Amino acid sequence: MADEKLQLYLAHRAALVDYAAPIVGCRARAEDVVQEAWLRFSRQQDDGDIRHPASYLYRIVRNLALDHTRRTATEKVQPGGDEILVELPSASASPEQVVTQQNELGAISRALEALPQRTRVAFEMHRLGGHTLQEVATHLNVSVSLVHQLVRDALSHCMACLEDDL
């Protein structure tokens, strides 16, 4: 029976590739699908249940081709994806960026130290601590508009110091 299966496969092989190619979108992949279909078909026990072996072989090819198409769509293969990944910026900072960030933090720290205490506290509570203007005003026992002015002055001072240092 193995010889009959082989003869059937060889007789239909070209037609099977033609059948699978439009489904998978590539003749080379269709060849792979037909080869896999042959392996499955040849391993199938011949217990007389298969009335139309050629139809069964075509069904195997169709199912494998559809599985391949679904798998490819699920994986969302991106042509040239490796090249795109190489061009993506690194998630970690370069040594130059680390030094620049450290210099900026130092400049901001010095700028905050130079501020009057009330202005610095207002800025740190609001911008760094996430407190509302009302909460800062209550803590400092001043008006909300004054806290707004203090935060704005501190921010302007830090920006000016950053520009001067860099």
Side-chain angles (χ1 to χ4, degrees), residues 90-159:
S90 173
S92 60
S94 70
E96 294 84 12
Q97 290 170 325
V98 169
V99 169
T100 301
Q101 291 169 354
Q102 288 173 345
N103 290 341
E104 289 174 351
L105 283 174
I108 291 171
S109 179
R110 287 187 298 279
L112 289 174
E113 289 173 7
L115 289 171
Q117 182 179 357
R118 185 171 69 171
T119 305
R120 187 180 74 248
V121 169
F123 178 80
E124 289 175 347
M125 284 183 71
H126 181 65
R127 297 299 288 227
L128 305 177
H131 295 280
T132 65
L133 293 175
Q134 181 62 53
E135 292 171 338
V136 176
T138 302
H139 177 76
L140 295 175
N141 199 23
V142 296
S143 68
V144 173
S145 61
L146 179 57
V147 170
H148 185 268
Q149 181 65 41
L150 293 172
V151 170
R152 191 173 67 188
D153 290 347
L155 187 57
S156 297
H157 176 73
C158 288
M159 293 296 290

Side-chain angles (χ1 to χ4, degrees), residues 59-113:
R59 188 172 351 134
I60 293 172
V61 167
R62 180 178 179 276
N63 289 344
L64 287 172
L66 291 173
D67 287 348
H68 180 275
T69 302
R70 282 188 210 106
R71 188 172 45 252
T72 302
T74 302
E75 293 171 355
K76 298 188 189 253
V77 175
Q78 171 79 26
D82 291 337
E83 292 81 18
I84 292 170
L85 287 176
V86 169
E87 294 174 8
L88 287 176
S90 173
S92 60
S94 70
E96 294 84 12
Q97 290 170 325
V98 169
V99 169
T100 301
Q101 291 169 354
Q102 288 173 345
N103 290 341
E104 289 174 351
L105 283 174
I108 291 171
S109 179
R110 287 187 298 279
L112 289 174
E113 289 173 7

